[in-house]
Amino acid sequence: MTNPTFPVAGTGLAGTPQSTGLSIRHAVMELGDGGTRVTALDDVSLDAAPGEFLAIVGPSGSGKSSLLAVAGALATPDSGTVTVHGQDLSQLNQGRRAAFRLSNIGFVFQSGNLIPALTAADQLRLVNRLAGGPKTFDPIALLESVGMAHRAGNRPGQLSGGERQRVGIARALVTGAKLLLVDEPTAALDRTRSREVVELLARQSHEHGVATVMVTHDHDVLGYCDRVVEMVDGRLVAAAPVA
Amino acid sequence: MFLALRELVFARGRFSLMGGVIALIAVLMVMLSGLSSGLVNDGVSGLKAMPVTAFAFDQGTKTDNAFSRSVIDDQQLSAWRGVEGVAAAEKMGVGMANATTDSGKQVDLTLFGVEPGSFLEPSRSAGTGLGDTDGIVVSSTAKAEGVDLGTVVTLDRIGTKLKVVGFTEGQATFGHVDVAYLPLKTWQLIASGRAAAGIPSAAQLSALSFDTASVVAVQAKPGAKLDLAAGDTAAGTSSKSLSAAFDASPGYEAETMTLSMIQVFLYAICALVVGAFFTVWTIQRKHEIAVLRAIGASTGYLLRDGLAQAAILLVGFTALGVAAGLGLGAAMPDAMPFALEAAPIAVATTLTIGLGLIGAAVAVVRISRIDPLNALGGQR
Ligand SMILES: Nc1ncnc2c1ncn2[C@@H]1O[C@H](COP(=O)(O)OP(=O)(O)OP(=O)(O)O)[C@@H](O)[C@H]1O
Ligand SMILES: [Mg+2]
């Protein structure tokens, strides 16, 4: 599954961003104010190609979530460019960015991911409605693909942590987004569940040509990833090739 | 409203609690509105029913109780008759009296002395009109006190006897007391203090040299606009339009102001309570809203959804409360001045919903300040 020929993170990437997937070039972002400013991203460049499953590891506070925020058009870097499917995100205003996220980027968050009031099927239906998707949209088929069709009528409160993450993944795929950003999906799961969830992510990205960037602390699951990069103090460093 | 409806169902416990408060406020609104209309009817329905444009009081009369305090004379009357745009003007006497019916029942009456056959004579639901020196036309509500056609009431102390010859159409009360219309001459006899016991005789009346009354009632020509100030200057009076004259009836201003104040407070409470509820509710949903915004839901969609939720809650439970209030109102004892009227209840309902929505809107606007970044990295 590993792909050692892929360029590894760092500063050595070529200047032109690729027109598909995710391209981050020389992103710098400072957070906080006054005397407590931290450099969350320090000249970060990163590519994720369609169909590639990329993992980001690193110590707490090293800037992993910040990198996802920048890649997902949730935060704007102070300098550098972020390109998703050929679209330079800095060209978009607030409202257009939301619309762009809706149809092009899928998110899977660590927890509190799902809307408590909605059943699994309704979580998916809501996103389809938000995106103005087809009336014929069938959430059950999508839930089936993550193995959750049998729980379509259950609310998050009645689902286990692993099941919630599966529904979350299905929801991120509703609009056919080709970039999936995943923040610590296994933080609340045991080993077996973690493996199942990450395996699902790997399968989805490979089968549907989705570029997936996953932040994780869980070294057990790195075997499913095509590439692993490590963040330290806001910088990307190459990680040891995955076994 | 996809999300709004599902959340209403999901958090039905919390929403029902809030809805209960809204419904109770609506019940209270209907009761206050009924009480307010009832008091107004009780206070001034006698005036309301009159085809009068304005009343002219003697200059310098104190507003409260001005009707029975004011004294006007024939000169002032003829001055008013000469004012442009006046179709008719008549003297009218107003006074309060305690009386006893022939069956020994004590009743209170407001005596309206009017010229028989003039435009001030009331329309009747039963009996004949004014004319006989002792004939009175009484508010239809007096029937509840055992007064009937032919009943003779004797005024306390002076002993003058008056006979009920007719009933007004609908309620005619003034200062919470039933109105008895009587011929102006008879009123003047009673007001002069020279009335003898028994039926006022024609001889007594013609011997009377008492030609003052309380107020001049003025009726404008159809479509004409009365210049009240000009009339006042000419006649030496201070006049008030019919509705402004309500304030001059006993206790009217104090009662309506008290009730209006309670209603204003209730509207404020409604807006604040609903605002507080939706503030807490929105804060509870903070993470979920951050997730929705991160996914790409537009601020407009989320705001519309939140407002729709508040609107459904408010309209639903206000309707419930108004229905309950109407039911309770229908069961009110007769002795209570209570009248359910469509217009004030519609206004109260609209205001309850409208102000509740304003309260909710102020809270729901928070949605637009929730940062989608909060969705990242668990419980930050
Ligand atoms: N809103 C903020 N204001 C100020 N500093 C912030 C803010 N958010 C994050 N930081 C700081 O920026 C740095 C990077 O934070 P980030 O959340 O990206 O780290 P992380 O790698 O995701 O950590 P973790 O593994 O604990 O989730 C940290 O030093 C953090 O303290
Ligand atoms: Mg993080």
Side-chain angles (χ1 to χ4, degrees):
Chain A
M1 259 198 233
T2 44
N3 188 352
T5 63
F6 243 94
V8 158
T11 50
L13 285 171
T16 36
Q18 57 190 48
S19 63
T20 52
L22 165 72
S23 279
I24 300 174
R25 289 291 176 278
H26 307 294
V28 176
M29 185 164 77
E30 289 194 353
L31 287 175
D33 39 27
T36 62
R37 289 187 76 80
V38 262
T39 307
L41 297 178
D42 186 2
D43 193 21
V44 171
S45 294
L46 179 72
D47 276 334
E52 184 184 16
F53 187 20
L54 176 72
I56 302 176
V57 295
S60 189
S62 58
K64 305 184 296 296
S65 294
S66 305
L67 182 60
L68 280 194
V70 161
L74 294 173
T76 317
D78 300 324
S79 69
T81 57
V82 181
T83 315
V84 176
H85 308 322
Q87 170 68 56
D88 181 353
L89 296 185
S90 66
Q91 302 294 314
L92 301 175
N93 65 22
Q94 197 80 23
R96 287 179 165 269
R97 226 180 277 182
F100 185 80
R101 285 200 296 270
L102 189 53
S103 45
N104 296 293
I105 305 176
F107 290 92
V108 181
F109 306 107
Q110 178 182 328
S111 63
N113 196 355
L114 302 177
I115 314 301
L118 301 184
T119 63
D122 279 342
Q123 307 273 345
L124 275 54
R125 284 199 192 98
L126 174 61
V127 176
N128 182 59
R129 287 174 76 102
L130 286 174
K135 289 250 184 314
T136 55
F137 171 73
D138 177 19
I140 308 298
L142 194 49
L143 283 173
E144 182 70 63
S145 76
V146 297
M148 285 297 297
H150 63 297
R151 306 288 266 157
N154 290 95
R155 295 203 176 92
Q158 302 160 317
L159 300 177
S160 74
E163 289 174 329
R164 271 179 234 166
Q165 286 302 33
R166 286 166 178 276
V167 175
I169 292 167
R171 188 182 63 182
L173 297 170
V174 166
T175 58
K178 292 297 181 206
L179 174 61
L180 207 54
L181 301 174
V182 189
D183 198 8
E184 307 192 29
T186 61
L189 304 183
D190 65 30
R191 272 178 158 225
T192 331
R193 303 275 164 232
S194 299
R195 285 176 172 278
E196 281 170 11
V197 165
V198 175
E199 195 180 354
L200 175 65
L201 283 169
R203 188 156 50 79
Q204 292 292 347
S205 25
H206 295 148
E207 282 176 10
H208 302 291
V210 177
T212 303
V213 180
M214 174 180 74
V215 167
T216 186
H217 280 119
D218 189 352
H219 287 261
D220 267 359
V221 300
L222 294 181
Y224 293 100
C225 303
D226 302 322
R227 189 158 60 102
V228 178
V229 295
E230 186 174 5
M231 274 203 96
V232 178
D233 286 344
R235 288 173 172 278
L236 276 186
V237 296
V242 222
Chain B
M1 293 211 295
F2 185 84
L3 186 56
L5 289 173
R6 281 158 181 79
E7 278 183 328
L8 282 171
V9 174
F10 178 67
R12 53 189 172 278
R14 267 166 286 176
F15 279 114
S16 315
L17 274 180
M18 183 68 245
V21 173
I22 295 171
L24 286 176
I25 288 178
V27 169
L28 210 50
M29 278 298 179
V30 172
M31 302 308 256
L32 280 175
S33 159
L35 199 57
S36 185
S37 302
L39 278 172
V40 167
N41 281 347
D42 243 30
V44 298
S45 61
L47 295 180
K48 249 186 184 170
M50 293 182 120
V52 168
T53 315
F55 287 104
F57 302 86
D58 191 28
Q59 209 162 39
T61 311
K62 192 168 148 256
T63 301
D64 196 29
N65 283 328
F67 274 98
S68 45
R69 202 180 292 270
S70 165
V71 178
I72 50 93
D73 57 29
D74 282 337
Q75 269 176 349
Q76 287 167 312
L77 173 65
S78 49
W80 267 105
R81 282 184 169 151
V83 172
E84 202 184 306
V86 171
E90 288 290 347
K91 284 188 292 190
M92 178 176 150
V94 179
M96 303 288 178
N98 306 115
T100 312
T101 67
D102 38 16
S103 59
K105 202 159 189 286
Q106 296 185 332
V107 291
D108 297 322
L109 294 172
T110 300
L111 302 180
F112 275 8
V114 300
E115 201 58 64
S118 73
F119 73 97
L120 290 178
E121 191 169 339
S123 46
R124 293 177 310 276
S125 60
T128 59
L130 294 176
D132 296 351
T133 55
D134 66 339
I136 56 175
V137 172
V138 185
S139 167
S140 59
T141 46
K143 287 179 196 163
E145 307 216 31
V147 176
D148 224 326
L149 284 181
T151 300
V152 173
V153 296
T154 310
L155 300 187
D156 291 355
R157 287 179 292 279
I158 52 176
T160 306
K161 285 183 186 305
L162 301 169
K163 193 162 113 200
V164 177
V165 298
F167 283 109
T168 61
E169 202 170 61
Q171 182 180 13
T173 44
F174 179 80
H176 306 287
V177 175
D178 289 328
V179 170
Y181 284 89
L182 71 172
L184 182 61
K185 268 283 170 200
T186 311
W187 183 90
Q188 285 169 330
L189 177 69
I190 295 165
S192 70
R194 265 171 250 150
I199 295 165
S201 66
Q204 260 182 321
L205 293 183
S206 53
L208 185 68
S209 64
F210 184 92
D211 60 2
T212 60
S214 304
V215 294
V216 180
V218 183
Q219 189 182 43
K221 285 181 183 143
K225 182 139 173 42
L226 264 192
D227 187 351
L228 292 181
D232 284 337
T233 319
T237 54
S238 71
S239 57
K240 290 177 191 293
S241 71
L242 179 65
S243 56
F246 293 169
D247 284 348
S249 87
Y252 181 82
E253 211 177 355
E255 288 162 10
T256 49
M257 266 170 64
T258 307
L259 280 174
S260 314
M261 201 185 70
I262 298 175
Q263 279 169 313
V264 165
F265 269 94
L266 210 51
Y267 289 128
I269 289 171
C270 179
L272 284 176
V273 167
V274 174
F277 173 80
F278 276 97
T279 302
V280 173
W281 173 241
T282 308
I283 290 172
Q284 256 177 25
R285 293 174 67 211
K286 197 174 165 185
H287 189 80
E288 137 189 359
I289 290 164
V291 166
L292 284 170
R293 299 197 74 187
I295 287 175
S298 71
T299 312
Y301 179 91
L302 294 172
L303 286 178
R304 277 196 304 280
D305 201 70
L307 276 180
Q309 197 170 56
I312 293 169
L313 186 74
L314 276 161
V315 171
F317 281 96
T318 304
L320 205 72
V322 169
L326 292 177
L328 269 175
M332 282 288 152
D334 277 350
M336 207 164 153
F338 195 88
L340 294 169
E341 287 173 6
I345 290 172
V347 169
T349 308
T350 316
L351 276 175
T352 309
I353 294 174
L355 287 166
L357 264 184
I358 291 176
V362 170
V364 167
V365 162
R366 275 170 181 276
I367 286 176
S368 64
R369 295 200 297 267
I370 294 175
D371 191 344
L373 256 183
N374 288 327
L376 273 183
Q379 288 81 11
R380 182 172 284 164

